[in-house]
Amino acid sequence: MRGRPTNEQFRHMLEHMVQTIKNEIVEGLYEPGTDLPSEKALAVRFGISNLSVRKGLEILAGEGWIEKIPNVGNRVLRRRPPVVLTLGLNETTVRNMALNELLKDFERLYSWITVHVKAYSASKEYERAEPNAFDVFTLSNMQFQQLCEQGGTGILDPIEDHPDLYPFLNELFSHEGRAVLQPIIFTPVVLCYNKRHFRERGLAEPTGGWTWDDLVRNAEKLTEGERYGFCFHLPDVNRWPIFLLQSGERRRPQRSPDEPDDAARLMEGIRLCKEIVHNHNVFPRYMSENNADIERMFLEGKLSMVLTSYMALNDWKQAEVEYDVAPMPFLHEPRTLTVATGAGIASHSGHKEEARLLVDYLTSERAQSLIRKHTLSIPARQRIEPSGWSGEIANVPGRYMLYRELIFSYRTHRDLPIAVSSMGKLAQLLKSYWANMTAEEELYRGIGELLDHQGGEKENGT
């Protein structure tokens, strides 16, 4: 006697019925205006109950394939002509969103749509795009902020806030009170550490109460032989700004002559960063070329602690190292940098309806659950629980859910007193200072001039 199908088997049988009928409509087996076979006939054909058939027909009706005619049946509305969408993104987005899995699933749902992926570089190719070059963009919140500062948001259509996403993410992708992109994934930058190293040295693992002094003190104890206690890729635009965020604030007028200005406030974090990277009992002299160098040395056991993100952990799915994550050490109060990726509809797209289907899909519970299953990135939906990671993810940090408790400490590049478009100039000043090629007084003047010039541009409306 055959048992009842499991929930998973039922879901696959229902999806098979829905997808088969979609394909047959696209292929012309059912012409617009004709009726589908009866519910009883469909139940026999697909081996499911009449109730299940009705659920499948409701899905088809909700997606606009058929209309239900009372006392008549289910009538095909129209045959969908094939549509090709171009999705623009950074190359790491493919990894961070499990994009290949998502697009296969999306194309199963909407079989008349094919999505072509076109990577663009960090040199803002999305701003120079010719009309119709892209239908959907994915941008980081930093890229979006730069777009806002330069008046370039016209390349994107406004979109509605999604109530099921983390509210702070909706705010990151809004401009002048209107949502422009839908958040898909996000990550804070966190401290990652080798549990075995701490255990061998008899040290307690990092906690949310760690200051940078605590980190340095423990890193010195962890440094031995060819192993160093702490390192990060200093030039990365998602690393050095953390020190500024922990000492700087949004630009505001001085309240009194004795109060430090923006440049003076930033100097505290800048000095701290220099002290750490020049402490050779903690930080190796080796100059890394990118974050991948740092991650490789950590996985090889040559570093005990690094700064990383949940998105970067996607390269560690099969890592054998025993590691975990902890909150970012702090100066005065807990603050860390947060990075997010959002998707939006290109204003020049010739396929707005299909582009909206793709953006809505990426924020749907279905897609967000796939992101959770196949990645260590954090889905933008608030109620996507960690369950059933795929077999490709063999090493999940025990404190993975820590990110929920850190939301109060999240900051972004726009919380700095400097525009995103000026950060390249600031980075050049800092590199020279950190390399002992610029005196502190000269750096202070340079930052002040940069902030004054930036303020002048705002006053002139440029």
Side-chain angles (χ1 to χ4, degrees), residues 357-417:
L357 285 174
L358 177 56
V359 172
D360 288 345
Y361 167 78
L362 292 173
T363 55
S364 69
E365 184 174 355
R366 179 187 182 112
Q368 295 275 294
S369 295
L370 281 175
I371 290 172
R372 172 69 88 201
K373 181 178 181 179
H374 292 284
T375 78
L376 291 172
S377 302
I378 306 171
R381 268 187 175 254
Q382 297 188 71
R383 291 185 293 276
I384 299 295
E385 297 298 329
S387 60
W389 268 294
S390 69
E392 64 192 282
I393 302 179
N395 198 350
V396 179
R399 300 167 76 180
Y400 177 87
M401 296 302 294
L402 178 71
Y403 69 87
R404 289 184 183 234
E405 312 306 321
L406 299 181
I407 290 177
F408 75 96
S409 69
Y410 290 175
R411 303 293 187 275
T412 66
H413 295 91
R414 70 180 184 181
D415 289 299
L416 290 167

Side-chain angles (χ1 to χ4, degrees), residues 88-100:
L89 44 69
N90 291 328
E91 290 182 357
T92 54
T93 304
V94 175
R95 174 200 70 181
N96 293 338
M97 289 172 49
L99 191 65
N100 293 332

Side-chain angles (χ1 to χ4, degrees), residues 134-147:
F134 296 99
D135 297 288
V136 175
F137 290 105
T138 65
L139 302 176
S140 71
N141 57 295
M142 186 176 177
Q143 289 173 320
F144 177 68
Q145 182 62 24
Q146 188 162 8
L147 204 62

Side-chain angles (χ1 to χ4, degrees), residues 252-428:
R252 58 182 175 80
Q254 287 177 262
R255 296 191 182 94
S256 71
D258 297 328
E259 184 181 6
D261 59 13
D262 282 329
R265 279 189 289 269
L266 292 177
M267 287 303 302
E268 184 179 17
I270 293 169
R271 282 191 213 99
L272 170 63
C273 184
K274 183 176 181 178
E275 289 173 6
I276 292 173
V277 300
H278 281 268
N279 184 339
H280 300 306
N281 294 321
V282 168
F283 204 95
R285 295 175 186 269
Y286 171 74
M287 294 299 293
S288 57
E289 295 183 6
N290 49 47
N291 281 318
D293 280 351
I294 302 297
E295 293 165 7
R296 174 179 52 78
M297 289 189 290
F298 179 80
L299 295 178
E300 291 174 356
K302 295 179 180 179
L303 296 172
S304 296
M305 294 182 284
V306 296
L307 301 185
T308 192
S309 70
Y310 281 71
M311 293 182 191
L313 297 181
N314 286 312
D315 282 334
W316 302 9
K317 294 177 181 180
Q318 299 290 336
E320 295 182 359
V321 64
E322 186 184 0
Y323 77 96
D324 216 330
V325 293
M328 182 69 58
F330 61 89
L331 209 70
H332 302 298
E333 62 179 38
R335 292 185 183 182
T336 191
L337 183 70
T338 309
V339 181
T341 299
I345 301 168
S347 56
H348 289 300
S349 171
H351 305 292
K352 295 287 184 73
E353 179 185 351
E354 289 79 12
R356 182 169 292 278
L357 285 174
L358 177 56
V359 172
D360 288 345
Y361 167 78
L362 292 173
T363 55
S364 69
E365 184 174 355
R366 179 187 182 112
Q368 295 275 294
S369 295
L370 281 175
I371 290 172
R372 172 69 88 201
K373 181 178 181 179
H374 292 284
T375 78
L376 291 172
S377 302
I378 306 171
R381 268 187 175 254
Q382 297 188 71
R383 291 185 293 276
I384 299 295
E385 297 298 329
S387 60
W389 268 294
S390 69
E392 64 192 282
I393 302 179
N395 198 350
V396 179
R399 300 167 76 180
Y400 177 87
M401 296 302 294
L402 178 71
Y403 69 87
R404 289 184 183 234
E405 312 306 321
L406 299 181
I407 290 177
F408 75 96
S409 69
Y410 290 175
R411 303 293 187 275
T412 66
H413 295 91
R414 70 180 184 181
D415 289 299
L416 290 167
I418 187 164
V420 169
S421 52
S422 298
M423 290 191 70
K425 296 177 182 177
L426 176 58
Q428 291 302 317

Side-chain angles (χ1 to χ4, degrees), residues 79-93:
R79 186 187 307 166
R80 302 264 185 159
V83 170
V84 177
L85 291 178
T86 301
L87 171 63
L89 44 69
N90 291 328
E91 290 182 357
T92 54
T93 304

